[in-house]
Amino acid sequence: MQTRLWNGLTFLGSIAVTLLGLLLLTFVIGRVMPIDPVLAIIGDEASQQAYDRVYQQLGLDQPIYIQFLRYMSEILHGDFGTALLTGKPVIEDIARVFPATVELATLSILIGVGLGVPLGVLAAVRRGKLTDHVVRFLSLIFYSTPVFWLGLIGLIVFYAKLGWSGGTGRVEIFYTGIVQPITGFLLIDSAITKNWDVFWSAARNIWLPATILGLSSMAYISRMTRSFMLEQLGQEYVLTARIKGLSRSEVIWRHAFLNIRVQLLTIVALAYGGLLEGAVLIETVFSWPGFGSYLTSSLMMGDMNAVMACTLLVGLIFMGLNLLSDLLYRVLDPRTRAA
Amino acid sequence: MKRRFAFLLAAALIATAPGATAATPDDQLVVGMSMNNITTLDPAAMAGRESTGIATNVYDTLVRLDPIEKTKVHPGLAESWEISDDGSSITFHLREGAKFASGNPVTADDVLWSYKRNVELGLVGAGVWLSFGFTPENFDQYVRAEGNAITITLPEEGDPRLLLYMFGKPDAAAVIDSELAMEHASDGDKGQGWLTTNTAGSGPFKLTNFTANDVIVLERNENYWDDPASMTRVIFRHMPESQTKRLMLERGDIDVGLGLSVPDINALSSNSDVEVQPVPGAGFYYLGVSMKDERFANPKVREALRYLIDYDGINATIMPNYGVERQRPVALGVLGALEDPGYALDVEKAKALLAEAGYPDGFEVELLALNEAPFLDAATAIQGTLAQAGIRANIVTGNGNQVYGPMRERNFEMIVGRGGGGQEPHPHSNLRAMVVNPDNSDDAGLSGVIVWRTSFYDEELNAMAAEALTIRDTEKQADAYEAIQQRLEEVVPALLIFSQVVDTVVFRSDVEDYQNHYGWTTRLEEVHKDR
């Protein structure tokens, strides 16, 4: 019991230290970056008086360690400050932009896993045959084509030419603001409130960016699945199982695939984390009001309050995902359980 | 499950497939633009064209500047005005019965409160006030109201018409609903926090939704004192990517596109569904040098640079829709603006001048340029022509901070930049940015003044510009401005201009009465759709 408590405390301690380090690093980088938030606010041709005034308002005249300590004490009071770009509390901003990205990332990862895993298994089983080459070629294409370009081409074909996609943004302009956020996920919120026209508009807008992101994570997931599977299929237990008379599909799915679950989970979790950070390029092309574009525009402005809070969130996400895959390892792999 | 979803999706797509009609409603205007630079809608604090464009339609000013006939001034909240005979003051007569969107009456007190607030906050909007000599201390002495008459007296001798133009600029002179703003004030900020994302104006529209970097919605203000706006709503949507704006214009999902890149504008030029409207705007593209550098302190070297720019080539190939050829720091169409002197690329002449200056083999130099079109393209072209005379320019690119930052600190050698005033239709609007350097010491800290950044200083030009402001006879005043431009060519400025800025807007052909304004103050109340 004692040790368990102690383990829990050290675990929490290590998280706190990691986050503190992350904040410190971000803060220092933010201050040495050649970006002047004051100029971003007042424009290039403003007078020196205006410059000095805003410089003081932002507290930039204080030594950097004082700035950092002040920032830390505010955070501990739950105050993450106000964003320069929006004039609103950073927390409010993140609560607004993050769900948009989670929604997009979740759909994308579902597409990525739904296509990537079966294709990867298929390619491994048919190693060296035509199917394998086709799958590898496809994943190479989607892995190496920039999503930015795919996004623009997708818009030209499916939106401008065919009219199958609703264009940019989360929802058509006239449906903006009709549905009040409940969960922040527009598809879910509009379904709950039975605003079906909003739901369809949101669906029309999300499928294209989600598919493009999904295809690029499919490329990664299928390649990894294929190589994990090949490793398993070359092992003796597979041969043994076949000799014992198990069917081919049983061997593949019940034996080999079960053994790569754990590795696969780690890969998927990391891919998902990457998507949650915000696929900045896709968010830019599709004018998607998400976390990625928020973080980027804050960074471009040198808006440290927003950047720090975003960094903290990204740090927490990756820690959470790591923790999750650790736990799943223990659940799924008996060898890792402490005796 | 997946299959069923795909089926439903396909059904939905077919059901909502667009017909032949454009997608935007008849009574709403949809504008696509980048909102990356909209950090506040507080008129006194805002900088830049996007926020000015929105504030123009929400806040009133006493007068309005005509978008085409540059020297024409229309009534706004002021019904009429007169300039005193000695040119030292203007008296405005405030319109009776005007109301703010909140329903509060517009009073002379609101006007005075708004102006004083601006000067006291000392942010971007205060710049023009300060340039006339107004300060928080002397404000009450020079700005007074009696009933509905508001009298503004110039603290220092100057041109009352230039002062008049200031009252058409929302950043300097928007009239704010003082009662509403003070209801939301905190810590003595005069409502600055609240006004960042809310508005309190009397203009044709009112702000109903401000979601940073996503959407801004203006609705018709039913309390507006003049004819109500044609459109019930104007929706601005954040679209940072030019290609996206182009596609949405082609589909008719947005009515107006601002800030498209030139390749996209060129692609749209042949499309009969849209109209491309280029308008000469405020400011210039220039090659600037620092006269702290002994090489560029030498007028011979600056003159050599003058003959090492391929004006015709750059303007024909790089600048279309970004700028039009211009070589003088006075905007086309204002009082006293002279024709171009007609400089052209002349490598032999430049070589001779460099040899005279003691640089027969040229020299190495660092050339700063923003890493975007047209700056980088123009810098590359200039790099090529400089090389023909032996000047080896190494281009260093970066974002606005990295490029203009060192220039503001007077710590650079050479730069391709953009700027130079011109939001008021008066030659002084350009000269105070490009020519007049009131104090050339490093401690003066005039980093907002482009000419100060180059360390160019000419006592006589300063005197001539100050003198020109005091001439009441229009013809003589025009002569004075011509003389300034001629002298500038003789002394060779540190800012060699090759183009005047052009603002290009693209809109659907059924959008009527959209007239882009050179001073970023495009009014939307009369814009309607011909459907």
Side-chain angles (χ1 to χ4, degrees):
Chain A
M1 195 65 223
Q2 276 287 314
T3 52
R4 189 164 285 195
L5 185 70
W6 177 245
N7 284 346
L9 282 176
T10 48
F11 174 70
L12 286 176
S14 72
I15 284 189
V17 169
T18 312
L19 288 179
L20 185 72
L22 190 67
L23 279 180
L24 189 62
L25 190 68
T26 313
F27 200 84
V28 171
I29 290 175
R31 284 287 172 263
V32 298
M33 264 193 321
I35 286 186
D36 188 344
V38 180
L39 282 190
I41 294 172
I42 62 172
D44 170 53
E45 289 189 40
S47 68
Q48 191 64 34
Q49 294 100 312
Y51 184 95
D52 293 341
R53 191 165 293 219
V54 174
Y55 192 78
Q56 276 179 345
Q57 276 180 2
L58 296 177
L60 293 170
D61 49 340
Q62 303 286 336
I64 185 161
Y65 66 93
I66 300 267
Q67 287 182 45
F68 185 68
L69 289 176
R70 186 183 291 174
Y71 180 77
M72 285 309 297
S73 88
E74 278 166 1
I75 282 191
L76 293 174
H77 291 100
D79 176 11
F80 285 84
T82 309
L84 296 181
L85 182 69
T86 61
K88 290 201 171 97
V90 173
I91 293 292
E92 248 177 68
D93 279 343
I94 290 180
R96 181 171 49 82
V97 297
F98 195 56
T101 293
V102 174
E103 191 166 35
L104 185 60
T106 308
L107 266 183
S108 308
I109 203 78
L110 288 176
I111 294 171
V113 173
L115 291 173
V117 171
L119 284 177
V121 173
L122 193 68
V125 173
R126 309 256 169 145
R127 185 181 181 179
K129 302 218 172 63
L130 181 64
T131 325
D132 184 24
H133 290 310
V134 170
V135 171
R136 286 172 65 191
F137 179 71
L138 276 181
S139 69
L140 186 68
I141 289 284
F142 287 116
Y143 190 73
S144 45
T145 314
V147 285
F148 184 80
W149 185 83
L150 276 179
L152 282 174
I153 297 297
L155 271 176
I156 290 170
V157 174
F158 294 104
Y159 163 70
K161 293 277 181 287
L162 298 170
W164 294 0
S165 152
T168 64
R170 288 181 84 181
V171 71
E172 251 184 290
I173 292 169
F174 308 102
Y175 294 128
T176 320
I178 291 180
V179 176
Q180 289 309 314
I182 304 165
T183 58
F185 306 120
L186 200 55
L187 287 169
I188 297 173
D189 289 348
S190 55
I192 294 174
T193 52
K194 298 204 168 47
N195 275 302
W196 295 112
D197 45 357
V198 178
F199 177 83
W200 288 120
S201 172
R204 273 181 51 127
N205 278 26
I206 201 171
W207 76 263
L208 185 59
T211 304
I212 287 166
L213 282 178
L215 286 174
S216 68
S217 58
M218 175 279 282
Y220 176 63
I221 291 169
S222 72
R223 283 172 36 167
M224 297 311 278
T225 309
R226 179 179 176 274
S227 69
F228 293 153
M229 278 301 281
L230 284 178
E231 196 188 336
Q232 295 295 329
L233 293 176
Q235 296 203 11
E236 286 175 2
Y237 76 86
V238 172
L239 195 59
T240 314
R242 290 288 286 152
I243 290 167
K244 278 163 71 180
L246 289 178
S247 77
R248 199 187 149 102
S249 66
E250 259 185 335
V251 175
I252 292 166
W253 292 106
R254 299 281 304 273
H255 287 70
F257 185 70
L258 279 189
N259 276 337
I260 69 163
R261 278 181 317 179
V262 177
Q263 290 162 291
L264 208 52
L265 268 173
T266 315
I267 293 298
V268 171
L270 283 176
Y272 188 52
L275 286 171
L276 283 183
E277 251 185 283
V280 176
L281 295 176
I282 279 287
E283 289 189 359
T284 305
V285 173
F286 284 87
S287 310
W288 196 262
F291 184 69
S293 49
Y294 180 73
L295 176 53
T296 315
S297 48
S298 304
L299 206 56
M300 291 294 179
M301 272 191 66
D303 183 352
M304 281 321 286
N305 280 345
V307 172
M308 301 277 283
C310 290
T311 314
L312 205 58
L313 182 62
V314 172
L316 281 172
I317 288 169
F318 275 98
M319 280 184 193
L321 288 170
N322 266 329
L323 190 63
L324 193 71
S325 46
D326 276 355
L327 289 174
L328 286 169
Y329 262 77
R330 292 184 183 205
V331 172
L332 299 174
D333 189 345
R335 287 171 305 182
T336 56
R337 283 174 218 164
Chain B
M1 185 63 223
K2 215 181 185 90
R3 188 170 295 181
R4 202 157 91 193
F5 179 73
F7 172 76
L8 282 174
L9 190 68
L13 293 180
I14 291 159
T16 55
T21 54
T24 59
D26 296 357
D27 64 337
Q28 302 185 20
L29 189 74
V30 185
V31 182
M33 69 196 250
S34 167
M35 295 184 181
N36 280 332
N37 297 324
I38 300 183
T39 52
T40 175
L41 289 178
D42 182 341
M46 67 190 183
R49 66 183 60 222
E50 294 86 358
S51 25
T52 305
I54 288 168
T56 299
N57 291 287
V58 173
Y59 290 97
D60 267 321
T61 45
L62 291 182
V63 298
R64 294 171 187 176
L65 308 180
D66 193 279
I68 308 284
E69 284 185 67
K70 283 201 158 174
T71 47
K72 210 168 171 183
V73 181
H74 302 283
L77 274 179
E79 259 172 329
S80 62
W81 57 91
E82 61 264 356
I83 295 174
S84 65
D85 292 341
D86 63 353
S88 68
S89 69
I90 308 178
T91 300
F92 293 97
H93 299 282
L94 202 60
R95 186 175 296 283
E96 295 275 344
K99 282 199 179 85
F100 287 108
S102 65
N104 295 333
V106 180
T107 66
D109 288 341
D110 288 302
V111 178
L112 260 53
W113 181 87
S114 307
Y115 296 169
K116 190 170 184 180
R117 168 183 185 270
N118 196 341
V119 173
E120 284 179 342
L121 284 174
L123 296 164
V124 184
V128 189
W129 286 94
L130 299 174
S131 74
F132 283 109
F134 294 96
T135 63
E137 294 74 34
N138 71 18
F139 184 89
D140 292 336
Q141 183 188 338
Y142 292 112
V143 183
R144 293 169 177 229
E146 258 180 67
N148 266 357
I150 298 160
T151 303
I152 290 105
T153 309
L154 280 162
E156 299 155 8
E157 204 177 4
D159 187 341
R161 260 170 316 159
L162 184 60
L163 181 67
L164 176 64
Y165 298 143
M166 178 177 84
F167 292 99
K169 286 164 51 76
D171 57 341
V175 177
I176 302 170
D177 185 340
S178 61
E179 204 176 316
L180 185 62
M182 288 313 281
E183 277 170 29
H184 296 277
S186 62
D187 311 332
D189 72 345
K190 300 198 172 61
Q192 203 196 334
W194 185 76
L195 287 170
T196 302
T197 53
N198 298 277
T199 60
S202 59
F205 294 96
K206 58 183 189 213
L207 178 80
T208 52
N209 177 352
F210 177 92
T211 311
N213 273 7
D214 187 8
V215 69
I216 290 176
V217 180
L218 304 183
E219 304 237 353
R220 183 192 284 154
N221 170 14
E222 301 299 344
N223 282 330
Y224 185 46
W225 54 269
D226 201 0
D227 296 337
S230 308
M231 292 280 156
T232 52
R233 293 164 106 197
V234 181
I235 301 165
F236 298 88
R237 196 142 189 194
H238 177 54
M239 294 181 187
E241 186 50 41
S242 173
Q243 280 257 333
T244 312
K245 284 181 274 208
R246 172 183 150 191
L247 290 175
M248 295 198 85
L249 273 166
E250 284 173 348
R251 297 271 310 177
D253 283 341
I254 56 175
D255 298 310
V256 183
L258 306 180
L260 273 85
S261 76
V262 167
D264 288 325
I265 292 172
N266 293 342
L268 286 166
S269 296
S270 56
N271 184 334
S272 61
D273 293 339
V274 299
E275 233 172 279
V276 176
Q277 188 185 75
V279 175
F284 307 95
Y285 290 93
Y286 56 78
L287 173 69
V289 291
S290 170
M291 284 174 58
K292 283 198 156 211
D293 187 316
E294 61 163 14
R295 294 169 297 181
F296 302 123
N298 184 334
K300 289 268 187 268
V301 175
R302 298 202 302 277
E303 200 180 347
L305 295 178
R306 179 184 271 169
Y307 294 108
L308 288 174
I309 299 174
D310 181 4
Y311 300 90
D312 294 346
I314 290 176
N315 280 296
T317 55
I318 296 167
M319 301 308 289
N321 284 321
Y322 288 117
V324 285
E325 182 153 351
R326 183 69 178 145
Q327 297 174 340
R328 294 193 194 273
V330 168
L332 297 159
V334 300
L335 182 79
L338 283 172
E339 294 279 303
D340 278 341
Y343 301 123
L345 180 66
D346 188 341
V347 178
E348 290 316 311
K349 197 166 181 177
K351 275 182 170 166
L353 285 161
L354 283 172
E356 266 182 74
Y359 302 100
D361 305 326
F363 47 79
E364 286 230 8
V365 66
E366 190 174 84
L367 173 58
L368 294 172
L370 277 185
N371 54 6
E372 56 188 63
F375 299 94
L376 193 50
D377 312 74
T380 310
I382 289 169
Q383 180 187 39
T385 45
L386 289 177
Q388 293 178 32
I391 298 176
R392 298 167 298 284
N394 306 312
I395 298 179
V396 177
T397 66
N399 61 22
N401 276 307
Q402 291 158 324
V403 170
Y404 291 115
M407 191 192 184
R408 286 177 69 96
E409 308 276 318
R410 295 177 138 196
N411 180 21
F412 75 107
E413 292 179 351
M414 197 183 255
I415 185 171
V416 170
R418 179 177 64 193
Q423 284 157 49
E424 299 110 318
H426 193 293
H428 191 76
S429 178
N430 296 128
L431 296 183
R432 81 178 159 224
M434 304 289 281
V435 176
V436 179
N437 182 356
D439 179 350
N440 198 30
S441 67
D442 283 3
D443 303 335
L446 300 172
S447 45
V449 181
I450 300 179
V451 63
W452 177 85
R453 302 179 197 168
T454 64
S455 308
F456 173 88
Y457 180 81
D458 185 85
E459 188 93 42
E460 192 169 332
L461 279 169
N462 287 353
M464 286 166 87
E467 171 70 18
L469 279 176
T470 64
I471 301 172
R472 294 288 147 263
D473 179 291
T474 310
E475 215 147 298
K476 285 193 177 130
Q477 197 180 21
D479 292 344
Y481 281 115
E482 287 176 9
I484 290 173
Q485 291 164 77
Q486 273 147 355
R487 167 157 178 87
L488 192 62
E489 296 319 299
E490 285 156 29
V491 298
V492 193
L495 293 160
L496 304 167
I497 290 162
F498 56 86
S499 226
Q500 182 178 338
V501 170
V502 163
D503 295 323
T504 306
V505 177
V506 185
F507 46 82
R508 298 284 299 179
S509 340
D510 58 11
V511 172
E512 300 290 329
D513 288 344
Y514 189 100
Q515 181 54 56
N516 193 18
H517 196 293
Y518 62 89
W520 308 342
T521 50
T522 303
R523 306 191 65 86
L524 302 173
E525 73 245 51
E526 285 174 14
V527 175
H528 58 278
K529 296 185 190 178
D530 178 22
R531 288 185 184 167

